[in-house]
């Protein structure tokens, strides 16, 4: 355990320094990511205004807060896509990773933790600029902030493991882009990425509650913009932990069964 | 000119023959188009469940605009993007030499080498959404309007093409530019809404840096019958201007090229 911690620390440090070298590239990448939520923000704010100031309990200020928090959560949601994993299996890139002393998962995880650090650093000025441009309304409060931080970390870990587990499908078939795209399409609609959950029809909200997507995206945002009461926040953290456990089981089972089928194509 | 057309035709034939070997890709593309369309239409119905008009656009007007946006992005993905990507690889690896050695204009050549034919599915889908939107709007169309629409859409495609080429010219000076394309692509996704809905600073970006205002909103205005001739004239002028500038920058860029690793 101690060893693992030391290795993680070193790997995160190296990857962070590596990533910090590409300053302009990082900035462009982040700026690009900011544009998508601005489209939704403009759309829903226009609606709120035509609706007499608010829509499903969201005022323009709430919506601005939602989509600015969105930009941070979106960053923390980035994971090794199943497409990436599929490519490793198809082209044999997984083979050298298997020869290393640790499970490949740890190297990936460390790299993505580093990405979180760099991304958050770069996000700060962008967040400030968006704040100035759209004047969001946040309730503030230390407790909210602490719970938000917790839910943000959990959303990252939970989605990372879940999406990694999905990648295990590639051990059985490498024609999977259709499955993955369907997964991501459903995620886009039900996670709160396209639209705050409260704006969905009732039945869709019920579905969203029992699927993992909302808990890795919309939930942390709803925490920070003050849409949830304390018991709801605590329950949400619990559900995140629950999905993390489910994802871990899926991943371990999928990996153990799949790795036996892996035949190192092309390496 | 004739030679270029014959060459473009041959490249297309080759691409079609190659792709027909992988027919399952057609089914996959069909499935993915369906997902993308369903998502877009779900959003549309969510929005118009709450209101009658969004920034002065009714549901089926916006649907028509979405159809045009779909067609334009499909054209980009079918032809512009793969060609530019190949150009980028050529510049990075030095294989751009082979383009220069051939007895045909380099810009023409790099613009016609690749075609991803399955994107046709997206084009068909976009046209279907557009027609469905127009039928439901029920506004009468006359031939002149349709012709003007075709012209503005064509100009829009040319404009987007020149922007891509202009960006790729940067690669002759600094080798890595994929982030610029990604940024451009992300901003371009704002074209699925009419630009007059955005705040001023975003409108400026969407008009001059990533000209979706001209590429999507102007043709949409024409086809739903809000023809604004001065916008059309500006679109034509901007497209022509960018085309000339791009040609100029391209010739300058060719001089810069020195065969990276050859």
């Amino acid at each position: 355990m101690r060893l693992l911690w030391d290795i993680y620390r070193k790997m995160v440090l190296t990857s962070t320094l590596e990533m910090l070298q590409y300053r302009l590239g990082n900035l462009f990448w982040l700026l690009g990511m900011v544009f998508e939520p601005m489209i939704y923000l403009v759309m829903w704010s226009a609606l709120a205004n035509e609706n007499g100031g608010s829509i499903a309990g969201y005022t323009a200020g709430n919506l601005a807060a939602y989509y600015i928090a969105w930009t941070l959560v979106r960053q923390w949601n980035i994971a090794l896509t199943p497409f990436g994993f599929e490519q490793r299996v198809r082209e044999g890139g997984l083979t050298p990773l298997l020869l290393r002393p640790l499970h490949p998962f740890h190297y990936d995880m460390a790299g993505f933790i580093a990405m979180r650090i760099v991304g958050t650093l770069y996000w700060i000025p962008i967040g400030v600029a968006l704040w100035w441009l759209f004047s969001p309304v946040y309730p503030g409060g230390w407790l909210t902030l602490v719970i938000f931080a917790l839910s943000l970390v959990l959303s990252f870990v939970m989605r990372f493991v879940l999406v990694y587990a999905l990648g295990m499908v590639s051990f059985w078939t490498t024609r999977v882009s259709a499955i993955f795209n369907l997964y991501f399409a459903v995620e886009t609609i039900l996670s709160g990425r396209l639209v705050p959950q409260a704006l969905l029809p009732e039945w869709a909200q019920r579905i969203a509650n029992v699927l993992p997507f909302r808990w890795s995206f919309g939930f942390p945002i709803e925490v920070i913009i003050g849409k949830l009461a304390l018991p709801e926040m605590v329950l949400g953290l619990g559900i995140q932990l629950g999905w993390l456990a489910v994802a871990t089981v899926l991943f371990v089972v999928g990996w153990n069964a799949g790795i036996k089928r892996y035949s190192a194509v092309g390496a | 000119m004739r030679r270029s057309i014959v060459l473009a035709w041959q490249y297309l034939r080759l691409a079609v023959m190659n792709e027909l070997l992988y027919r399952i890709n057609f089914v996959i593309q069909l499935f993915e188009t369906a997902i993308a369309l369903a998502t877009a239409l779900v959003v549309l119905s969510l929005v118009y469940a709450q209101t009658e008009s969004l920034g002065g656009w009714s549901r089926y007007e916006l649907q028509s605009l979405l159809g045009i946006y779909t067609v334009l992005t499909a054209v980009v993905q079918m032809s512009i993007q793969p060609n530019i990507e190949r150009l980028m690889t050529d510049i990075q690896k030095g294989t751009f030499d082979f383009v220069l050695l051939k007895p045909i204009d380099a810009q023409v050549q790099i613009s016609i080498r690749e075609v991803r034919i399955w994107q046709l599915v997206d084009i068909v889908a976009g046209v279907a959404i557009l027609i469905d939107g127009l039928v439901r709007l029920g506004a009468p169309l006359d031939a002149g309007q349709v012709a003007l629409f075709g012209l503005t859409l064509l100009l829009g495609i040319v404009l987007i093409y020149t922007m891509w080429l202009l960006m790729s010219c940067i690669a002759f000076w600094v080798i890595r530019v994929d982030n610029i394309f990604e940024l451009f692509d992300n901003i371009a996704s704002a074209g699925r809404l009419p630009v007059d809905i955005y705040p001023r600073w975003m409108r400026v970006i969407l008009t001059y840096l990533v000209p979706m205002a001209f590429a999507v909103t102007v043709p949409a205005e024409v086809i739903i019958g809000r023809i604004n001739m001065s916008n059309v004239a500006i679109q034509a002028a901007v497209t022509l201007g960018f085309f000339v500038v791009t040609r100029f920058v391209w010739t300058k860029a060719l001089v810069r090229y020195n065969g990276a690793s050859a």
Side-chain angles (χ1 to χ4, degrees), chain B residues 84-100 113 171-172 174-176 257-262:
Chain B
I84 296 292
E85 270 169 13
R86 182 148 166 209
L87 172 65
M88 295 291 101
T89 329
D90 277 352
I91 296 172
Q92 274 168 25
K93 291 191 179 163
T95 40
F96 187 62
D97 296 0
F98 300 119
V99 173
L100 293 176
R113 289 187 293 178
F172 286 95
V174 284
I175 297 294
R176 281 187 58 98
Y257 177 73
N258 52 15
S261 69

Side-chain angles (χ1 to χ4, degrees), chain A residues 15-75:
Chain A
S15 316
T16 307
L17 292 177
E18 233 170 75
M19 268 178 243
L20 280 175
Q21 292 175 353
Y22 302 98
R23 281 179 218 116
L24 201 63
N26 288 336
L27 189 66
F28 273 36
W29 174 70
L30 256 175
L31 279 177
M33 218 150 59
V34 164
F35 236 84
E36 185 192 336
M38 292 310 112
I39 301 169
Y40 309 142
L41 173 56
V42 164
M43 189 165 81
W44 298 114
S45 313
L47 262 181
N49 286 335
E50 294 196 11
N51 231 356
S54 86
I55 170 172
Y58 277 83
T59 62
N62 287 145
L63 286 166
Y66 188 96
Y67 284 107
I68 293 174
W70 188 109
T71 55
L72 184 62
V73 175
R74 167 83 177 84
Q75 262 215 61

Side-chain angles (χ1 to χ4, degrees), chain B:
Chain B
M1 187 66 193
R2 243 199 79 206
R3 236 167 25 150
S4 314
I5 294 171
V6 172
L7 197 65
W9 174 248
Q10 290 302 333
Y11 273 121
L12 181 67
R13 235 170 55 105
L14 211 63
V16 171
M17 282 177 352
N18 255 325
E19 266 310 308
L20 285 180
L21 292 174
Y22 306 98
R23 267 166 239 184
I24 186 80
N25 285 352
F26 170 70
V27 180
I28 292 176
Q29 180 65 47
L30 214 57
F31 185 71
E32 285 175 4
T33 303
I35 292 174
L37 272 190
T39 314
L41 292 177
V42 164
V43 175
L44 212 59
S45 68
L46 279 178
V47 169
Y48 286 97
Q50 314 269 358
T51 184
E52 291 282 294
S53 96
L54 183 66
W57 290 63
S58 74
R59 173 167 185 170
Y60 294 108
E61 286 172 343
L62 202 62
Q63 184 184 319
S64 308
L65 180 122
L66 198 67
I68 298 169
Y69 170 82
T70 309
V71 171
L72 187 88
T73 13
V75 172
V76 169
Q77 283 169 5
M78 181 170 79
S79 168
I80 300 175
Q81 189 187 358
N83 275 305
I84 296 292
E85 270 169 13
R86 182 148 166 209
L87 172 65
M88 295 291 101
T89 329
D90 277 352
I91 296 172
Q92 274 168 25
K93 291 191 179 163
T95 40
F96 187 62
D97 296 0
F98 300 119
V99 173
L100 293 176
L101 285 174
K102 290 186 183 119
I104 199 152
D105 183 85
Q107 188 188 339
V108 172
Q109 229 187 112
I110 59 106
S111 309
I112 57 175
R113 289 187 293 178
E114 298 274 332
V115 190
R116 288 198 197 134
I117 55 163
W118 298 132
Q119 288 295 331
L120 275 175
V121 175
D122 267 4
I123 295 185
V124 172
V127 171
I129 301 188
L130 170 63
I131 291 177
D132 179 65
L134 290 175
V135 168
R136 284 171 201 253
L137 273 177
L141 289 175
D142 59 65
Q145 194 183 352
V146 174
L148 189 61
F149 166 71
L151 178 71
T152 48
L153 185 62
L154 189 69
L155 283 173
I157 291 170
V158 172
L159 181 58
I160 296 295
Y161 158 77
T162 58
M163 295 305 287
W164 275 79
L165 190 60
L166 201 55
M167 287 186 293
S168 63
C169 284
I170 301 173
F172 286 95
W173 280 270
V174 284
I175 297 294
R176 281 187 58 98
V177 285
D178 19 339
N179 279 308
I180 301 181
F181 287 110
E182 212 167 306
L183 181 60
F184 185 87
D185 227 26
N186 271 310
I187 298 179
S189 64
R192 68 186 79 208
L193 290 182
V195 285
D196 38 354
I197 213 174
Y198 292 106
R200 219 183 113 75
W201 63 275
M202 276 170 93
R203 229 163 34 218
V204 171
I205 294 176
L206 287 168
T207 309
Y208 298 106
L209 284 178
V210 183
M212 296 309 271
F214 294 125
V216 178
T217 311
V218 169
E221 281 171 347
V222 169
I223 199 73
I224 65 169
R226 291 191 197 166
I227 304 176
N228 179 338
M229 276 323 271
S230 72
N231 277 356
V232 176
I234 296 173
Q235 187 212 28
V238 167
T239 307
L240 189 70
F242 266 109
F243 196 82
V244 173
V245 168
T246 303
R247 180 71 195 176
F248 176 75
V249 174
W250 171 258
T251 46
K252 287 274 168 257
L254 283 189
V255 178
R256 266 292 300 200
Y257 177 73
N258 52 15
S261 69

Side-chain angles (χ1 to χ4, degrees), chain A residues 80-94 166-171 173-178 180 262 265:
Chain A
L80 180 82
T81 61
F83 300 104
F85 197 83
E86 188 245 33
Q87 193 185 7
R88 282 186 193 170
V89 172
R90 186 162 33 85
E91 296 178 1
L94 188 59
L166 185 63
M168 297 304 112
V169 178
S170 327
F171 282 126
T173 165
T174 50
R175 298 217 75 122
V176 279
S177 72
F180 297 158
Y262 177 64
V265 208

